[in-house]
Every structure is written in C-alpha cells, then in structure tokens.
Amino acid sequence: MDTDVLIVGAGPTGLMLANQLGRRGIRAMIIDRHAGPALETRALGVQARTLEIYSHLGIAGRALELGKRTAGANLWAGGRRSARVPLGDIGHDLSPYPYVLILGQDDTERLLGEALRQWGMAVQWNTELVGLSQGADGVDVTLKQPDGASRSISAAWVAGCDGARSSVRGLCGIEFQGAPYEHVFFVADVQATGPMVPDELNVYLWRDGFHLFFPMSGTDHWRIVGILPPELRGRDDQEFADVVPSIHHEAGTGLSFQGCSWFSTYRIQHRRAERFRDGRCFLLGDAAHIHSPVGAQGMNTGLQDAYNLGWKLALAVSGRAGTALLDSYEDERIPVARQLLATTDRAFALVVSDAWLAGLFRTRILAKIIAVAMSFDGIRKLVFRTISQIGIQYRSSPLSQALPGQPDAAPRAGDRFPWLRLKFSAAGLPEDLFQKLDDTRFNLIVIGQPASPGGLPALEDLLRTLVVPSDPANDRELARAHIPSRSFYLLRPDCHVGLSGIRLEADAVTRYFSERLSFRQ
Ligand SMILES: Cc1cc2nc3c(=O)[nH]c(=O)nc-3n(C[C@H](O)[C@H](O)[C@H](O)COP(=O)(O)OP(=O)(O)OC[C@H]3O[C@@H](n4cnc5c(N)ncnc54)[C@H](O)[C@@H]3O)c2cc1C
C-alpha cells in the first residue's frame, strides 16, 4: 500500500482532513490538480465552531489577527438604514468565539497549509486523480503527474475532497441530486467609500433582491455579493463595471468605487450526493453538498465533515477500531447536509424571490421583524447556535448513548459539549474547559464524583479524564448548562458527547467503546 489515505483536493476540506490525520500520525497523501493554493477570497465567513476547531489546531490566534469580527449588521431599504442588529458578542457564554469572523478563503487555506508542515506533510500540486478501482483491501488509483505522465498507486482509503465537480464522486457512480438555482450571482472585492457602516455587515434589501457588503481586512475594503441583473445573464464577459449601475441604483449614489481586485459570477446550485461513501471512498465538503451562500455555511460544513471523519479514519487505519466505526460518518453527516440544504433553500427563496409581495415584504417588513426578533435573548441564542454551527448534533447517531436518569434539559448524547469555565481543583481558578480538552483523544468529564474508570487499560493513551470537583462556582456554571452536579460525559475526539450518565460505571464505558465504537481491546 503506497498510502493509508489518499486525500484528493487541497481546498479547505482536504487541508483540514490532512491536518486531522497528520496530527494523529497517520500516513496520508494529499494531491491537487492545481499548480498551487487558490488566490481568490471566495468563502469569507468563518463560524464559531470552526474557530473552536482551529484553536485545537493552534491556528485560531492567527485567524483572528488576519480577519475581522463583525460587530453588527445594518439593514438598508429604499436608501435608508432601517435597522441595526448587534452581532459583536451575540454568542457570549456559548462559545469562546461569540461572533462571525470575516476571513478570505485564501487566508484560510494558507493557515491550514502552513499547519500541515508541523506533521511533515505537504500538498502534491499539479497531480490529478483520473481513475480509481476498488478492491477488498484497498483502492488502485491512477494519477496524472506534473509532467503529464500517469502513475498508479494504491491507497487503503480515498477521501474525495475535490469540490463540486468531484472526480471521486463521478468515478464511484454516486449521483449528485439537486438542481441549479435560476439566479446568477456576482462577487466583487472592491475598495469603496459610501454610506456603509464601516467594519460591519451592510445588507441592502431591494424589491428584486439584495446586495451584501462584507467588511474585509484593511480600510474601505469590501466584498459585495449580489444578483446579476437579468440583462447581463447569459453573457460570459461581464466585468465589475457592468454591475455598478445596479449597485448605485439600490445602494445610493453616495457610493464610489476606487478599485476592484476580484470579480466573478457563479450560478449557485443546491445538490447533495445520494451517499457520502462508496466502499473505501468517502465524499466530503463541496464534493458531497453544495447550496446557496446564505448564512456562510458552505466552507464551514466541509471543514466539519473533515473533523468528523478525521478521528474515525485515524482509529480505523491504526487498527484501534474496526472499520464499522466509519459507517457513522454518513449516518451523522448526511442529516446535517440535508438540514443545511433545506434551511438555506428557504432563506434563499426569501431573499431572491421575484414575486411582488415578496419584494414588498423584503423592503418594508423584513428588516423590522429581524430587528425586533433579535432584541430577544432566546432568539439571539437560537440564531447564533444555528449559524455558528455549535448547534449541530448527532443525537440519532448509533454512536450516541444516554444512560437513564438524566434531566431532559441536560446536554444530550450527540450534542457538542457546552463551553464552560470550571475549577478543576478546590484552590484553583475557573479555567476554559475547551482549552483543557485534548481533541486527539476521548475526554471523560467526571462531575461531582471520584474518577475511577478502571477496567480500561488498553485505552490509556486514548482516554483523558478530567475531574470537576463539587464547588459552588462549578455548581453555578453547571446549572447554567443544565448539567447535573453529579454526572459524567464521555466526549468523542470531536468534542461531541458519546456516552452520558449520572453515576460513572467503568463497565458502561468499556461496553460503549467495544459495542458502539467497534474498539478492539
Ligand atoms: C465565486 C465563489 C464564491 C464563493 N463564496 C462563498 C461564500 O461567500 N461563503 C461560503 O461559505 N462559500 C462560498 N463559496 C463556496 C466555497 O468556496 C466552497 O464551499 C469551499 O471552497 C469548499 O471547499 P472544498 O475544499 O470542499 O472544495 P474546493 O475549495 O472546491 O476544493 C477542491 C479542490 O479539489 C481539487 N480537485 C478537483 N478535482 C481534482 C482531481 N481530480 N484531482 C486532484 N485535485 C482535484 C481542486 O483543484 C480544488 O483545489 C464560494 C465559491 C465560489 C466559486
């Protein structure tokens, strides 16, 4: 076998998977048919859950330095600012990163590519997968090399992170079900001055659609996203100058442009692969699902696909777990993609509908409803949980097991464990729990009782135990998250709850590893 895992595609998804395998010591090879990293800014929104994952990878600090935090969103209609929604710490108490970070995809890919070097890995550029055939023990792959010659290699597993036109998906005969939307979008990175509130998101709602202005790093640097005016559709030679009249018409003439560094149009599709796995091949990221950019979910969902598969693949490759564990990738990620497509479809229909009534709703009513709704703490939290992706859960996964006796409001098996500040010794100060978790292992959080898991010798290097002693400050913090003051939570390496219960029982933990995770003792 030439490699344990062949990762096809060095976009954000492939780079994340390579990092997750590299830091677990797995032999993976990552290839891309392009000559080098993408230079376009493309996806801009980095969500809180992604930043939490970056923090474990050691790149969150650098991402925050390079990016811009959105302090608020301003909604404009008819040339007037009709509402402002504060977003600066919308998710405070829910995540160490309670905002959306604006960071170009070129920077994201650079940071993930640099992180790869720590594990002695590098992307093999100008290398394209052109053929594959699967056997019982591996996959024979044909690669087109930089000199144009073909080369055959064998890989135990193949991860198709090769984008919307995925070759892996095509060669596996997996259908990409869905359709294109009727509208064509444009994106433009510009230098501009005008009525926009600096450093904040500005949303111009108009009868026939919208323009979004995202603040980018630097001064007067904006990303504009909008719908291509109908008279420009069908041409393939559009330039930024062609869309300027429509932006002026809707956003006002006080707007002036000093330059445009990137302009592109694209027809958005909503599609999902009917399966995310075929034997030894997996699909992740845009290869598995594409949808409208509403809510800045696309790239983040691909990164989480990789975070979900990474630890499972590492355990299967190293022989610690049986390959049955890998079935849970599809079980967990297809429902996430299905839900994402449904939500983004609904939101997209609302912002682009050509219907007269929808236009009236968008310009006269929508901004006010959003502003009023977002003044309620419960709604703000719900919106943050959804957009930030911290609310993604795998409750119906076969890997989620709750023992009896837990209150309904407590975190459930399958949930991302909540972010808490806890004291880990009687004399200590409260610490950030997420900083204490090691996401290359399972973390057993034992609350208000002694930790004596025992009976788990073969897991010692893979299981970390954190004891949370009884303490008034801990009790207050636990109560905030509805966690019983005596309980235990076994977190999977991706920090979702695998097993939860009240009284810690070594047997239940041992059984969970062998029965649910297919661990070999
Ligand atoms: C113009 C534009 C604007 C966008 N704006 C946004 C946005 O604002 N917000 C958002 O969330 N998303 C946006 N997106 C989508 C976002 O860029 C994608 O969701 C994201 O790039 C997906 O990452 P990925 O790694 O899954 O796939 P990709 O980034 O597409 O990476 C796939 C990689 O696979 C390589 N590859 C393909 N086939 C092969 C092969 N056979 N062999 C070897 N290598 C191969 C490609 O060269 C590529 O580098 C935008 C996309 C475009 C095109």
Side-chain angles (χ1 to χ4, degrees):
M1 212 59 77
D2 294 299
T3 183
D4 287 322
V5 183
L6 172 68
I7 300 171
V8 186
T13 307
L15 290 169
M16 173 59 87
L17 183 63
N19 272 291
Q20 294 305 329
L21 294 174
R23 61 206 289 255
R24 291 173 168 86
I26 299 300
R27 245 174 5 126
M29 175 176 166
I30 174 166
I31 60 164
D32 198 292
R33 68 174 172 200
H34 284 151
L39 301 175
E40 296 99 11
T41 49
R42 293 200 282 167
L44 282 188
V46 178
Q47 302 294 351
R49 184 67 191 127
T50 298
L51 289 168
E52 291 172 5
I53 296 168
Y54 283 2
S55 153
H56 289 296
L57 255 187
I59 59 172
R62 193 76 190 106
L64 294 182
E65 272 168 34
L66 291 172
K68 210 163 215 173
R69 295 168 214 196
T70 33
N74 301 277
L75 302 158
W76 299 74
R80 287 210 329 267
R81 190 164 70 132
S82 41
R84 178 180 183 276
V85 179
L87 296 177
D89 63 347
I90 172 179
H92 79 103
D93 281 350
L94 296 176
S95 170
Y97 308 99
Y99 39 75
V100 180
L101 184 76
I102 306 286
L103 180 73
Q105 190 173 324
D106 50 342
D107 283 330
T108 289
E109 292 185 21
R110 191 160 47 79
L111 292 181
L112 286 167
E114 281 168 12
L116 212 51
R117 289 196 210 122
Q118 299 170 68
W119 330 115
M121 294 167 79
V123 178
Q124 297 185 22
W125 298 106
N126 282 317
T127 307
E128 181 175 3
L129 174 132
V130 290
L132 66 78
S133 86
Q134 298 200 47
D137 302 321
V139 189
D140 291 324
V141 176
T142 310
L143 303 180
K144 199 165 120 202
Q145 301 191 109
D147 60 3
S150 290
R151 174 184 162 213
S152 294
I153 64 156
S154 57
W157 303 94
V158 171
C161 306
D162 47 350
R165 298 200 182 122
S166 168
S167 312
V168 175
R169 192 184 62 231
L171 290 163
C172 290
I174 300 177
E175 252 189 78
F176 207 26
Q177 297 160 334
Y181 288 108
E182 156 205 354
H183 298 85
V184 178
F185 272 70
F186 74 82
V187 290
D189 290 352
V190 300
Q191 283 297 125
T193 48
M196 301 82 73
V197 178
D199 298 331
E200 300 201 351
L201 177 62
N202 288 264
V203 182
Y204 290 87
L205 299 162
W206 42 283
R207 280 280 165 97
D208 299 325
F210 65 92
H211 283 129
L212 302 178
F213 281 64
F214 291 91
M216 295 178 72
S217 54
T219 311
D220 298 333
H221 192 195
W222 297 91
R223 150 74 62 86
I224 309 177
V225 179
I227 300 171
L228 204 63
E231 63 276 14
L232 296 178
R233 290 183 202 164
R235 282 175 40 189
D236 55 8
D237 59 346
Q238 300 100 344
E239 294 176 359
F240 177 58
D242 296 326
V243 297
V244 168
S246 79
I247 304 175
H248 270 145
H249 178 63
E250 301 300 337
T253 44
L255 189 63
S256 85
F257 297 105
Q258 289 83 48
C260 173
S261 56
W262 182 53
F263 178 77
S264 180
T265 60
Y266 64 117
R267 186 135 189 225
I268 298 174
Q269 318 228 359
H270 52 136
R271 292 183 186 275
R272 178 175 64 76
E274 50 162 340
R275 290 171 287 134
F276 285 10
R277 178 178 177 192
D278 181 63
R280 295 184 158 266
C281 300
F282 295 90
L283 298 178
L284 303 84
D286 275 20
H289 43 72
I290 49 171
H291 48 82
S292 93
V294 172
Q297 302 291 298
M299 181 186 75
N300 295 276
T301 308
L303 293 171
Q304 286 213 51
D305 287 342
Y307 199 54
N308 183 291
L309 182 62
W311 66 271
K312 296 172 182 173
L313 208 42
L315 287 173
V317 166
S318 64
R320 300 298 295 268
T323 55
L325 175 62
L326 299 172
D327 296 342
S328 65
Y329 169 67
E330 269 193 331
D331 293 337
E332 294 182 347
R333 295 307 292 177
I334 285 184
V336 170
R338 200 181 284 134
Q339 172 77 29
L340 181 65
L341 259 75
T343 322
T344 50
D345 261 356
R346 278 198 297 274
F348 192 61
L350 184 68
V351 291
V352 300
S353 170
D354 291 336
W356 176 84
L357 199 61
L360 199 69
F361 177 73
R362 208 159 36 230
T363 50
R364 298 279 169 83
I365 304 167
L366 183 61
K368 290 189 178 68
I369 292 182
I370 292 176
V372 170
M374 292 293 281
S375 65
F376 292 100
D377 189 49
I379 294 183
R380 267 202 311 274
K381 283 196 166 119
L382 181 70
V383 168
F384 180 76
R385 270 184 210 286
T386 308
I387 293 183
S388 67
Q389 304 199 338
I390 65 165
I392 286 176
Q393 42 83 6
Y394 307 129
R395 288 180 186 173
S396 44
S397 163
L399 304 192
S400 303
Q401 185 186 7
L403 300 176
Q406 298 168 75
D408 285 347
R412 305 232 197 126
D415 291 359
R416 155 196 167 278
F417 195 75
W419 177 55
L420 302 171
R421 277 153 291 206
L422 294 168
K423 286 167 73 169
F424 293 91
S425 66
L429 291 170
E431 294 178 69
D432 179 337
L433 171 68
F434 281 14
Q435 296 290 326
K436 304 277 285 186
L437 298 178
D438 178 348
D439 75 337
T440 60
R441 295 158 200 235
F442 290 84
N443 292 275
L444 179 62
I445 305 181
V446 185
I447 301 166
Q449 58 192 304
S452 53
L456 304 166
L459 292 172
E460 266 163 21
D461 60 327
L462 271 178
L463 182 66
R464 201 152 174 262
T465 304
L466 290 169
V467 179
V468 180
S470 295
D471 175 278
N474 282 347
D475 289 347
R476 276 194 302 278
E477 186 70 348
L478 293 166
R480 190 171 68 77
H482 308 286
I483 296 174
S485 51
R486 178 177 147 95
S487 53
F488 79 92
Y489 291 86
L490 174 67
L491 308 193
R492 316 161 1 156
D494 58 7
C495 304
H496 282 257
V497 178
L499 173 71
S500 60
I502 295 296
R503 196 167 67 87
L504 177 61
E505 290 166 27
D507 283 356
V509 177
T510 309
R511 264 198 316 278
Y512 176 81
F513 273 96
S514 60
E515 289 171 11
R516 301 269 176 161
L517 300 172
S518 316
F519 256 62
R520 297 176 175 142
Q521 294 289 332

